[in-house]
Amino acid sequence: MNYKSFSKIAGISAIALIAAMHATDVSAQYVIGTDQQVDFNATVDNTITVAVTPGTFGTIAAMNSTAVGDTATAVLPAAVGPQVLVDDHSTGFGTAAQALIVGEDANPGTAAEVVVTNAFDAEEMFVTFSTCANLTNGTETFVLDDITTSMAGTPYDCTTPMTTGHTFTTAGGGFTFQVGASITTDGLADVAYPDGVYTGSVQMQITY
C-alpha cells in the first residue's frame, strides 16, 4: 500500500467532511440540555414591474358655465378598447344651462392600462389611489373625479382617503387592469374651453 497516497486521500476526506459540517451548520459536539443557537433569515423582495399606458378622453368639445349647479361631465369607463363617451349637451348658448362636454366618436377615449409583472405568483394584491391633479392646459381646468378600475371596488372620489383597495390575484406573477375616471367642467369661466391638450393624473399604489 502506498501510505503517502493514503494519507493524502484521508486528509482530503477530512477537510471535505469539516466543510460539509460547516455548510449545514452541524455541530460536532453538543452537551445535552445546553443552549444551541438556531438561526433564521428572510430575503425581502418588494420590487415588481409596473407599466402604465396613459388614459385619454379622446377629442372633446367643452364649454363652461358659471350658473350654479350647471356643469357637464364625461365618464371614461375602465374597460378594454375604444370608449365612445356619453355626450353631455348644453341647451343652447346664453341659456341658463350651457355647460357641455361632447366627444368626437371618430376619436374615442381609451382607459389607462396597468400591466403588473414580476410579482409573486397566485398572490392577492391591492390597488389604491390618492392625490388627484385636475386636467389643465395651464389656464383652464377640468375637475378629475371618480377613479375606477376594471376590478370590483368603490370609485376614488379624489377627496376621501381609500380604506379598502381594489383587489386582483396574480397569474404567473402578473396581472393587467384598466383605470377609468370622469372629468367635469369647473364652472369658473362662462366660455368655451380653449383648444389644446389638457393633462392631469392620479397617484396609484399597489401592495400585497
Side-chain angles (χ1 to χ4, degrees):
M1 176 182 288
N2 189 330
Y3 288 101
K4 185 178 293 185
S5 297
F6 176 78
S7 297
K8 183 181 294 184
I9 293 171
I12 292 172
S13 298
I15 292 171
L17 177 61
I18 292 170
M21 290 173 65
H22 281 288
T24 56
D25 289 333
V26 175
S27 184
Q29 293 182 333
Y30 172 73
V31 177
I32 292 175
T34 61
D35 290 342
Q36 172 64 54
Q37 178 172 307
V38 178
D39 297 323
F40 297 91
N41 68 74
T43 300
V44 175
D45 182 1
N46 275 329
T47 302
I48 63 176
T49 302
V50 177
V52 179
T53 301
T56 176
F57 285 82
T59 301
I60 61 174
M63 180 171 284
N64 223 330
S65 171
T66 55
V68 176
D70 178 21
T71 58
T73 299
V75 177
L76 178 63
V80 177
Q83 303 295 317
V84 176
L85 303 182
V86 176
D87 296 337
D88 190 347
H89 285 276
S90 70
T91 57
F93 188 76
T95 65
Q98 68 183 56
L100 67 92
I101 298 179
V102 175
E104 182 182 18
D105 294 351
N107 291 290
T110 307
E113 183 172 82
V114 179
V115 179
V116 176
T117 53
N118 298 320
F120 297 161
D121 184 28
E123 196 65 57
E124 186 176 28
M125 302 196 78
F126 300 82
V127 179
T128 51
F129 299 97
S130 63
T131 315
C132 292
N134 293 329
L135 276 66
T136 181
N137 67 345
T139 303
E140 303 297 331
T141 299
F142 291 103
V143 178
L144 186 65
D145 197 1
D146 290 329
I147 309 300
T148 61
T149 71
S150 51
M151 305 167 286
T154 302
Y156 173 53
D157 64 5
C158 288
T159 301
T160 307
M162 295 181 67
T163 57
T164 303
H166 299 189
T167 62
F168 65 86
T169 300
T170 60
F175 190 79
T176 298
F177 61 94
Q178 285 69 42
V179 179
S182 70
I183 52 173
T184 301
T185 55
D186 62 13
L188 298 180
D190 193 12
V191 294
Y193 276 76
D195 292 352
V197 177
Y198 292 69
T199 58
S201 64
V202 62
Q203 298 301 311
M204 176 181 68
Q205 301 83 37
I206 302 176
T207 59
Y208 288 109

